[in-house]
């Protein structure tokens, strides 16, 4: 076990990719502990042998198609007309556009890499500080994996055997809370710095709505499908891809063959990386469980206190720290075998805990030093990472406030799934 954990830490420290670090240390652990060689392949394959996980590459492809087909531009234009009249208008449009796009891709990276480019260019061109523009763009990407659909929630549902449809519904209110919190922060920055806003025009808003309506209703199609039982999360991902293709190819006619092939290649690479992380993490988790390490860690955390509020605080801090350094998919598959027995012992609702855990990990994606979305936005904006780190810090505060509201007032998460379940 010393070799098992030691190799993992050393590989991470020398900069080996997380998927290779997890896989190599797990294989070394299996060999050193005398496990049959066939276990390595079996556990990695069984970890991703799930109909539910097919939704991951399809939602990634849907997000890439939306970006390549210029559909994200129409979303941002509509958001600008909708909330651009508020002080700091383009900052608010940035947040609202991320909410709408969240209902299509479920990926923070897709939001940052596609919509983020459009948002950054619009804000800086209209006199917004580059640091502020980058910070708002990065912070708003957190909404994507919380508001349904959500790739991390699919992974959580698969590992924890929890209804993904309920998890998706549980993410609606927290997603809206993040929008409100970020818009409040933008509002105060805008008043202080006297940022530009656009005059409100109902005529232009209606015109832009009809120009963008096919893009805007995509989240409504997906959400209504869940709530009415028309399709499963995996089927919803297929609907999202088909819908994106139809409007990009035949309605807007903004997607050509070259762009389509590029979307397929990028989606395949991203999906392969995500699923490889899940597979290697399942092997790593198997060793933890088999050697009793997961149970010992769970007992240690439960030994701190029997107060669920204190335990949730400890878990939140642990996940926030891990989220700064590791991929959400890896943390979900590695930590759930440890955390689920604790959550069940404290009788915490698994849907509530799932949304809180994913929200926690997504905040880690925009938290220095290794938040993935920070690297993407820094690359898009050509900013140094030091500037990016300083700019994002104020915007982490409203996100953490929402995290603690959802942690200690479970109804923010559980109300909608329960209401729909009993409807």
């Amino acid at each position: 076990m010393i070799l098992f954990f030691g190799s993992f830490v050393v590989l991470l420290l020398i900069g080996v990719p997380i998927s290779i670090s997890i896989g190599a240390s797990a294989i070394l652990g299996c060999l050193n502990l005398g496990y049959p060689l066939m276990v390595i392949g079996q556990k990695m394959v069984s970890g991703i042998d799930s109909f539910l996980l097919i939704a991951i590459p399809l939602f990634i492809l849907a997000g890439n198609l939306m970006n390549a087909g210029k559909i994200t531009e129409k979303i941002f234009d509509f958001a600008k007309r909708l909330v651009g009249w508020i002080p700091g208008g383009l900052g608010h449009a940035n947040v609202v556009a991320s909410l709408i796009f969240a209902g299509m891709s479920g990926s923070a990276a897709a939001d940052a890499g596609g919509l983020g480019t459009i948002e950054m260019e619009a804000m800086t061109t209209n006199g917004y500080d580059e640091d502020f523009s980058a910070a708002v763009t990065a912070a708003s990407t957190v909404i994507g994996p919380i508001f349904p659909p959500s790739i991390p929630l699919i992974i959580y549902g698969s590992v924890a055997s929890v209804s993904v449809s309920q998890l998706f519904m549980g993410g609606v209110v927290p997603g809206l809370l993040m929008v409100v919190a970020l818009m409040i922060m933008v509002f105060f920055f805008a008043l202080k710095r006297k940022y530009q806003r656009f005059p409100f025009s109902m005529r232009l808003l209606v015109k832009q709505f009809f120009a963008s309506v096919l893009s805007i209703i995509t989240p409504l199609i997906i959400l209504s499908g869940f709530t009415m039982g028309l399709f499963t999360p995996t089927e919803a991902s297929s609907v999202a891809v088909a819908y994106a293709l139809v409007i990009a190819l035949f309605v807007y006619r903004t997607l050509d063959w070259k762009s389509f092939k590029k979307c397929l290649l990028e989606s395949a690479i991203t999906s392969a990386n995500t699923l490889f992380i899940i597979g290697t993490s399942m092997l790593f988790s198997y060793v933890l469980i088999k050697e009793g390490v997961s149970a010992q860690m769970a007992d240690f955390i439960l030994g701190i206190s029997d107060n669920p509020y204190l335990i949730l605080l400890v878990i939140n801090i642990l996940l926030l720290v891990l989220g700064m350094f590791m991929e959400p998919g890896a943390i979900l598959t590695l930590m759930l075998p440890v955390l689920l027995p604790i959550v069940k012992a404290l009788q915490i609702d698994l849907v509530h805990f799932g949304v809180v855990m994913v929200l926690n990990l997504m905040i880690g994606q925009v938290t220095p030093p290794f938040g993935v979305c920070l690297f993407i936005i820094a690359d898009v904006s050509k900013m140094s990472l030091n500037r990016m780190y300083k700019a994002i810090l104020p915007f982490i505060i409203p996100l953490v406030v929402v995290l603690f509201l959802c942690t200690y007032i479970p109804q923010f998460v559980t109300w909608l799934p329960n209401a729909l379940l009993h409807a």
Side-chain angles (χ1 to χ4, degrees), residues 108-109 138-139 141-146 150-157 159 178 277 314-336 339 353-368 370-374 396 399-400 403 407:
T141 62
V142 176
I143 301 167
I146 304 302
S150 163
I151 291 172
L153 285 177
I154 291 171
I155 298 172
Y156 175 90
V159 177
M178 282 193 289
I277 288 173
V314 172
I315 292 173
N316 269 336
I317 294 171
L318 173 64
L319 292 176
L320 278 171
V321 173
L322 288 175
M324 297 178 194
F325 298 95
M326 293 174 64
E327 291 280 343
I331 299 172
L332 284 165
T333 44
L334 289 176
M335 293 304 298
L336 277 173
L339 298 179
F353 181 71
V355 174
V356 168
M357 184 175 186
V358 169
L359 174 54
N360 211 318
L361 298 180
M362 289 307 107
I363 294 173
Q365 296 295 281
V366 294
T367 304
F370 298 116
V372 172
C373 291
L374 296 183
I396 293 175
L399 296 176
V400 171
L403 169 64
T407 300

Side-chain angles (χ1 to χ4, degrees), residues 86 92 95-96 99 143 172-188 395 398-399 401-402 405:
I86 307 172
H92 299 296
V95 176
V96 172
L99 175 68
I143 301 167
V172 171
V173 175
L176 295 174
L177 283 175
M178 282 193 289
V179 169
V180 172
L182 289 173
M183 288 180 73
I184 290 172
M185 179 65 79
V186 169
F187 180 79
F188 283 114
F395 287 88
L399 296 176
V401 169
V402 172
L405 283 174

Side-chain angles (χ1 to χ4, degrees), residues 187-221:
F187 180 79
F188 283 114
F189 267 96
L191 289 181
K192 183 179 178 182
R193 300 184 183 182
K194 296 181 172 58
Y195 285 135
Q196 174 191 8
R197 57 177 171 171
F198 297 89
F200 180 75
S201 169
M202 180 57 73
R203 182 182 64 82
L204 291 175
L205 175 61
V206 172
K207 181 180 178 181
Q208 189 61 53
F209 172 77
F210 283 110
S212 314
V213 65
L214 292 176
S215 306
I216 297 165
I217 64 172
T218 310
L220 297 179
I221 294 171

